[in-house]
Amino acid sequence: MELSEDSPVTSNKRVPNKILLLATFAASIGGTFQYGYNVSVISAPTEYVESFINQTWTERYQIDISPNVLTLMWSTIVSVFTLGGLIGASVGGTLAIKLGRKGSLLVNNLLAIAAALLMGLSHPTGTFELLIVGRLLIGLNSGIGLCVQPLYLVEIAPTSVRGLMGMGTSFFLTVGIFIGQVMGLKELLGKEEYWPVLLSTTCIPALIQLLMLPWFPESPRFLLIDRGDYEGCKKALRQLHGAADCDREMEDMVKEKNNQDQESFKAKTPWEVIADRSVRWQLLTIVLLNSAQQLNGINAIYFYAGYVFTQAGIPSERIPYAAVGTGACECITALTCGLLIEHLGRKVLITGGYTLMSVCCILFTLTMTFQNVSPVFPYLSMVCVFAFILSFGLGPGGVTNILTMELFTQNARPAAYMIAGSINWISFFFISMVFPFIVIGLNQYCFLVFMSICTLVALYIFFVIPETKNKTFLEIQNEFKRGKEKKKGQTTDGSGMTLLATSM
């Protein structure tokens, strides 16, 4: 059986056909959805897992576990996910080259199934160590998925809807967070007796992807540029884009392949990309953007959300539902960003997002400072929470991944994703370790630190990054080259006279 799209489409089509949308779903359900789901699903059973660890420890050693050791065990279960993610990000690009984008995603599901099995068996076997191993494996799965899925989506998308297709990465991530929050409610799997089932549900997205993704083709760009398979590429393009768009997209790929053939095309390693001076600004950009995605204060907002909801008079038993509301809010903004990105462009959305986040940080600091002055201020704080999440979802939350895709050509893109993913996971680990101390030291004034980060990133994007909307990867690369040549083309002598450089 082969899926096909027979209806013709125009070359300037702004809406993906149904085959592209189904391929996006098939790739994302076992990719960034898994990451989002496993970030949020671990929160609901916290007290039940701690009780299980204490009970198991007592049965083994005939003594209650000390509070410090219990905290260490629980924090290890939670944080080992980031270690697995870092390892996954560091090998994801290599897998994408060796196995292909589609092949890597399919093989990656074995890790999720193994993780679900281990976490589900931890309670029946009385072995809490299986939770640690399971979380490590699902972190490894998430790290690989965060690296390979965006590669697949950007390489199967026509240039005219590349931004919209790329938004599938962040949209499914936020949907995963939302579904994880919903599944943890007491009305579903949030009861004590169901927590092993809740943690083992991570196998469901993996099984869905294993059933769906084989019906869709490998990345056309990978087939043509990496493997030299012209016929396979053309067949994949016809299936994904339809006959009308096939020739134009094929022409762009051939130009990129020919350009890279002149440069002795070979997929680069991360170290080769780091050493390549021609992509220095692109590399600096993805390092800054991926660091800022974790360090911009979004984690702090979620940390303070429970306190803000309590101050606003929401009963404690209703706060989990308010948290689900924040997840739904982020899903809506990710979808909205996807609808706007091909109209407003990447630069406007991400610059505007960081600018609005800076304003929200100032307002949130003020409302938290005067929390007890008037009953109005807790509700203003709630508005700031949702406004910050909206700003993040409309800009940095979605556009960062797309820019990481677009700033590099085929031979450097997998390595760039390995670097970006590693930076993202390291920043995630760093903020999870340091953030509690920042809060203790600065309280609500910690948002002034995040405001500074958001403002600096907004300024960098505005002055350095070119707009990438509706441009081929070669055109984007040439934009950076022209910007670099302009800077090199002029030097200033001691008297302030501007001279044309005599050599480049």
Side-chain angles (χ1 to χ4, degrees):
M1 176 181 176
E2 180 179 291
L3 295 171
S4 63
E5 183 65 59
D6 297 324
S7 60
V9 289
T10 58
S11 59
N12 61 352
K13 187 175 180 180
R14 292 286 181 174
V15 180
N17 63 39
K18 63 183 180 182
I19 302 303
L20 271 173
L21 291 175
L22 287 171
T24 300
F25 177 84
S28 302
I29 193 68
T32 52
F33 179 91
Q34 282 280 36
Y35 168 75
Y37 186 79
N38 285 284
V39 164
S40 64
V41 80
I42 195 67
S43 299
T46 299
E47 60 179 295
Y48 307 139
V49 174
E50 288 182 342
S51 175
F52 163 65
I53 293 172
N54 187 38
Q55 178 185 348
T56 304
W57 188 279
T58 302
E59 291 175 356
R60 283 187 194 175
Y61 306 110
Q62 286 75 50
I63 188 173
D64 287 342
I65 190 171
S66 71
N68 290 337
V69 175
L70 180 60
T71 301
L72 176 63
M73 290 296 178
W74 172 246
S75 63
T76 301
I77 290 170
V78 174
S79 61
V80 77
F81 177 77
T82 61
L83 175 61
L86 178 59
I87 297 171
S90 66
V91 301
T94 303
L95 286 176
I97 296 168
K98 301 291 185 184
L99 304 178
R101 286 39 165 168
K102 174 183 167 182
S104 299
L105 288 172
L106 290 172
V107 170
N108 193 33
N109 289 303
L110 299 177
L111 292 170
I113 293 171
L117 186 64
L118 291 173
M119 291 188 289
L121 289 174
S122 60
H123 186 268
T125 60
T127 312
F128 61 80
E129 290 86 354
L130 293 180
L131 290 172
I132 299 174
V133 180
R135 287 285 291 176
L136 177 66
L137 290 179
I138 199 61
L140 186 59
N141 168 275
S142 299
I144 294 172
L146 276 171
C147 183
V148 180
Q149 179 207 317
L151 281 174
Y152 183 73
L153 294 189
V154 76
E155 292 177 7
I156 66 174
T159 302
S160 60
V161 293
R162 192 173 61 217
L164 176 59
M165 290 287 291
M167 279 302 302
T169 297
S170 59
F171 176 69
F172 277 89
L173 190 154
T174 57
V175 170
I177 292 174
F178 174 68
I179 296 298
Q181 292 171 331
V182 171
M183 294 295 287
L185 295 176
K186 292 187 183 298
E187 288 81 356
L188 295 175
L189 296 177
K191 296 180 180 178
E192 183 170 8
E193 62 268 26
Y194 294 146
W195 73 259
V197 178
L198 176 63
L199 296 183
S200 63
T201 53
T202 190
C203 69
I204 296 175
L207 293 173
I208 293 174
Q209 186 174 79
L210 285 172
L211 289 172
M212 288 189 65
L213 191 57
W215 298 112
F216 298 96
E218 179 56 90
S219 155
R221 285 185 172 273
F222 174 78
L223 291 172
L224 178 64
I225 301 177
D226 290 71
R227 295 285 171 85
D229 184 357
Y230 285 82
E231 289 303 316
C233 173
K234 184 174 290 189
K235 182 179 178 182
L237 282 174
R238 286 183 180 276
Q239 184 178 345
L240 292 165
H241 299 179
D245 273 350
C246 177
D247 292 339
R248 180 179 178 180
E249 294 294 331
M250 189 86 171
E251 182 182 346
D252 289 339
M253 292 182 203
V254 170
K255 284 181 181 177
E256 185 175 338
K257 178 174 173 59
N258 291 339
N259 178 75
Q260 292 180 345
D261 280 341
Q262 295 169 9
E263 301 172 1
S264 300
F265 173 79
K266 179 188 174 185
K268 294 182 178 179
T269 66
W271 295 114
E272 289 172 333
V273 171
I274 292 170
D276 187 352
R277 300 180 69 87
S278 68
V279 294
R280 189 64 51 85
W281 280 103
Q282 292 96 310
L283 184 63
L284 176 61
T285 297
I286 66 165
V287 169
L288 287 176
L289 293 185
N290 281 274
S291 299
Q293 197 168 30
Q294 296 295 339
L295 305 178
N296 57 28
I298 189 66
N299 297 297
I301 282 290
Y302 280 120
F303 178 86
Y304 269 102
Y307 171 75
V308 169
F309 294 147
T310 301
Q311 290 292 104
I314 297 176
S316 58
E317 66 272 12
R318 296 293 178 186
I319 287 179
Y321 300 94
V324 169
T326 63
C329 179
E330 199 167 354
C331 288
I332 293 169
T333 54
L335 181 60
T336 305
C337 182
L339 298 175
L340 293 175
I341 194 165
E342 296 298 351
H343 297 283
L344 298 180
R346 287 62 155 154
K347 190 167 182 175
V348 170
L349 284 176
I350 194 167
T351 306
Y354 272 116
T355 302
L356 290 174
M357 289 167 71
S358 300
V359 174
C360 289
C361 283
I362 297 172
L363 296 177
F364 192 73
T365 302
L366 291 173
T367 58
M368 290 290 288
T369 300
F370 298 105
Q371 193 79 203
N372 298 319
V373 172
S374 167
V376 174
F377 280 100
Y379 292 96
L380 292 177
S381 297
M382 283 184 65
V383 172
C384 289
V385 166
F386 284 99
F388 192 94
I389 293 171
L390 283 166
S391 303
F392 175 78
L394 283 173
V399 182
T400 299
N401 283 317
I402 295 171
L403 286 175
T404 305
M405 303 175 200
E406 294 182 329
L407 298 187
F408 295 87
T409 50
Q410 189 78 9
N411 63 338
R413 194 175 297 119
Y417 258 100
M418 293 168 69
I419 296 169
S422 298
I423 292 294
N424 210 310
W425 284 100
I426 290 170
S427 300
F428 187 7
F429 178 76
F430 173 79
I431 197 66
S432 65
M433 293 294 292
V434 174
F435 174 67
F437 299 100
I438 296 176
V439 173
I440 291 171
L442 299 177
N443 295 313
Q444 72 271 21
Y445 298 105
C446 67
F447 285 93
L448 297 179
V449 176
F450 300 130
M451 180 211 68
S452 302
I453 294 171
C454 291
T455 302
L456 291 173
V457 174
L459 290 171
Y460 175 85
I461 295 164
F462 182 79
F463 287 108
V464 175
I465 301 178
E467 180 54 69
T468 61
K469 182 181 71 170
N470 289 333
K471 294 177 182 175
T472 66
F473 298 118
L474 279 178
E475 289 170 342
I476 296 168
Q477 186 183 53
N478 291 333
E479 285 271 353
F480 274 96
K481 285 183 178 179
R482 282 195 291 270
K484 187 178 179 182
E485 287 169 0
K486 284 180 182 178
K487 292 176 182 178
K488 284 186 174 181
Q490 291 185 338
T491 57
T492 303
D493 64 10
S495 62
M497 297 292 292
T498 302
L499 304 172
L500 184 66
T502 57
S503 60
M504 302 289 174

